[in-house]
Amino acid sequence: MIISEAENLKLARQGNQEAYTSIVETYQNPVYNLCYRMLGNSEAAEDAAQETFWRAYNNLNRYDEERPFATWLLSIAAHYCIDQQRRKRLPTVDLDEIIEFNAEDPAPNPEHAMLDTEFSEEIQRQLATLNENDRAVLVLRYFYELSEDEICQALSITKSAVKSRLHRARQHMADQWNDDQENLTAERRQHESQTI
Amino acid sequence: MNHKPFENWILDELHLNASQKKEMEKHLSVCSRCKRLDTGWQASKRLMTHAQVKTPASGFSTRWQAYALKKQNLQKIRRYRLTLIGLFMLVFAASLTYMVASGSFLQMIADAFNGLTNMIVAVTSGLSALGLWLYRMPIAIPLTLGFIFFGLVNAFIMVAAFTLWNLKQRKVQTDEIRVE
């Protein structure tokens, strides 16, 4: 028998942990992905994702059913990751983690997989240079396609704050990409001149 | 050249009408700064929208169940501690109230003060008797006793200081070996 999400939520609110586990299974990927994009390494992302689900489980009674459950969950994850970043203020890129081979990746084409990894590595390097507040807004907007209003709700900030953070983050990402390209070109030229 | 409106169009991702689009294209064809910004942002955006979704290692929900169990146990211990502390505070407050209300608390303070006074008097008269006793002795005896007593105290302090210094040195050496 397939139980709907609403039914699972109702059961979980009554303290049924099995029902909540099936909710965890449903949302583990988006929550983990958000934590990974925010924290930059898989170990921290795993811890953050588990803590997110634990906090959500403890606060299920506060969940407003008018809002989508996924947005509520992502908002808990984003807040937690921002707090973690503020506490640590450590470099957030773990390149070994980024390049790691993902055994669960269903992509049949190795070229696609390679391209995906390259995209992932590149974007993670750029995201790591943003401050945690701007990163959260950008990740929710482009990885989860949340609207500005949904981001307002998720991060408990005003719409103008969302707009200004998005503006600043886009500017930073564009500059970062251009700088990376210029560095790459310079490296290539240097390499070519050495070869000659 | 006024870049500001074009920068805002690029970075705020506004929906442009046909004439604005034309104006933008015209500006981008002559302005390298805005062109660079547009190219950079579009490339970054493409990277984000094409990046693969990161997934946790298999068995996440099982690990979550173990995590939840651990957290629940911690919560139980925390609740248990809080209850104990609460009970202790309650008993303390109740007994204090009872003592103050019944007058036994003030009596207890008076007794303690009285005991302290008696102790000071006893120590003072004891010291006075010792002084009198030492005064009647030949001077060599109290001097010898004094030297022995303070000598022992000094020796004890020096041994303790040396032991501490020695321990510290050993720790430094161990750390150096670890680093090597």
Side-chain angles (χ1 to χ4, degrees), chain A residues 37 46 51 142 167 170, chain B residues 11-13 52 63 67:
Chain A
R37 296 298 170 197
E46 166 97 13
E51 183 61 29
Y142 293 102
H167 185 98
R170 286 176 188 133
Chain B
L11 295 176
D12 292 339
E13 296 209 308
Q52 65 184 27
R63 289 196 299 282
Y67 183 82

Side-chain angles (χ1 to χ4, degrees), chain A residues 20-21 25 28-29 33 37 46 51 53 104 116 119 122-123 126 142 167 170-171 173 177-178 182, chain B residues 8 11-13 36 41 43-44 47-48 52 54-56 58 60-61 63-65 67-68 71:
Chain A
Y20 190 73
T21 304
E25 277 164 8
Q28 60 182 10
N29 288 351
N33 187 47
R37 296 298 170 197
E46 166 97 13
E51 183 61 29
F53 283 115
E104 286 187 347
D116 281 349
F119 277 139
E122 180 75 28
I123 199 63
Q126 288 188 18
Y142 293 102
H167 185 98
R170 286 176 188 133
Q171 170 95 56
M173 295 292 274
W177 190 85
N178 285 317
E182 279 162 13
Chain B
N8 287 343
L11 295 176
D12 292 339
E13 296 209 308
R36 188 174 184 271
W41 167 237
S44 286
L47 283 177
M48 281 190 281
Q52 65 184 27
K54 285 278 175 183
T55 53
S58 60
F60 180 85
S61 56
R63 289 196 299 282
W64 184 79
Q65 280 174 322
Y67 183 82
K71 283 278 192 178

Side-chain angles (χ1 to χ4, degrees), chain B residues 13-162:
Chain B
E13 296 209 308
L14 300 172
H15 290 288
L16 307 180
N17 59 36
S19 68
Q20 284 172 327
K21 271 183 191 168
K22 262 189 186 173
E23 209 180 328
M24 176 75 139
E25 278 166 20
K26 199 177 150 191
H27 179 77
L28 290 181
S29 65
V30 291
C31 175
S32 60
R33 185 176 137 180
C34 290
K35 178 76 185 162
R36 188 174 184 271
L37 183 71
D38 185 51
T39 313
W41 167 237
Q42 292 306 328
S44 286
K45 192 176 159 186
R46 205 166 41 248
L47 283 177
M48 281 190 281
T49 48
H50 283 75
Q52 65 184 27
V53 173
K54 285 278 175 183
T55 53
S58 60
F60 180 85
S61 56
T62 316
R63 289 196 299 282
W64 184 79
Q65 280 174 322
Y67 183 82
L69 195 68
K70 202 173 117 188
K71 283 278 192 178
Q72 273 169 345
N73 286 337
L74 277 174
Q75 258 184 354
K76 266 185 206 164
I77 292 169
R78 212 168 288 157
R79 252 182 244 145
Y80 180 66
R81 272 186 203 155
L82 275 175
T83 315
L84 270 183
I85 292 169
L87 275 174
F88 177 77
M89 299 287 279
L90 200 72
V91 169
F92 180 74
S95 49
L96 199 69
T97 314
Y98 170 74
M99 282 194 297
V100 170
S102 66
S104 60
F105 183 65
L106 293 174
Q107 183 63 50
M108 200 174 75
I109 291 173
D111 286 347
F113 186 72
N114 195 25
L116 192 72
T117 318
N118 286 342
M119 198 179 74
I120 290 168
V121 169
V123 169
T124 316
S125 40
L127 283 174
S128 165
L130 183 71
L132 203 66
W133 190 63
L134 287 174
Y135 178 72
R136 282 176 187 168
M137 278 183 184
I139 191 73
I141 296 170
L143 267 179
T144 314
L145 285 173
F147 273 122
I148 292 169
F149 178 73
F150 286 111
L152 280 173
V153 169
N154 274 338
F156 179 76
I157 289 170
M158 281 174 76
V159 166
F162 177 74

